[in-house]
Amino acid sequence: MATYSNAELRDTISVYFDWLEADKRGDKILKTAKYRQLIEKYNGVRSKGSYESKMQNISAVVVTLGLPHVKGLKPRGHGGATVRAMVTGMAKERGLI
């Protein structure tokens, strides 16, 4: 599987943080629809399962930052250095840490 571009990774993390905020508000999250949007935007390079797995890696990183993870996306793996750096930076941009 191809490595995520910075733009694709940033979009994926942005969706994750949108879901995290929706979770805090108690809003319903339509994950499958958003996965489809990412798949279409990036020309079907990845499957729904691939994005879901990346979201679980993001969950693992946000938990290390002291944040809750999105319901239904249990932390898995470590995410790698690029994911950790981008998640941390975007969490700071959003005022979450």
Side-chain angles (χ1 to χ4, degrees):
M1 183 65 57
T3 303
Y4 279 68
S5 68
N6 282 340
E8 184 181 19
L9 184 55
R10 189 165 192 56
D11 284 347
T12 304
I13 294 167
S14 182
V15 167
Y16 186 93
F17 282 133
D18 290 346
W19 288 346
L20 191 60
E21 290 171 10
D23 256 357
K24 279 173 78 173
R25 292 189 306 267
D27 295 346
K28 183 176 180 176
I29 299 171
L30 302 174
K31 293 183 184 108
T32 300
K34 193 50 96 167
Y35 290 142
R36 265 190 248 124
Q37 288 175 356
L38 287 167
I39 290 166
E40 289 174 16
K41 181 173 183 176
Y42 291 99
N43 301 314
V45 173
R46 292 178 214 295
S47 66
K48 174 188 169 286
S50 180
Y51 282 109
E52 186 170 43
S53 179
K54 184 60 75 177
M55 295 292 190
Q56 290 174 309
N57 293 149
I58 295 166
S59 284
V61 175
V62 300
V63 167
T64 67
L65 297 175
L67 298 169
H69 64 83
V70 172
K71 292 175 189 149
L73 292 172
K74 292 184 180 183
R76 186 181 88 141
H78 54 79
T82 302
V83 173
R84 283 192 306 273
M86 198 172 286
V87 168
T88 301
M90 290 178 71
K92 287 178 182 176
E93 286 172 13
R94 289 181 177 234
L96 300 172
I97 58 171

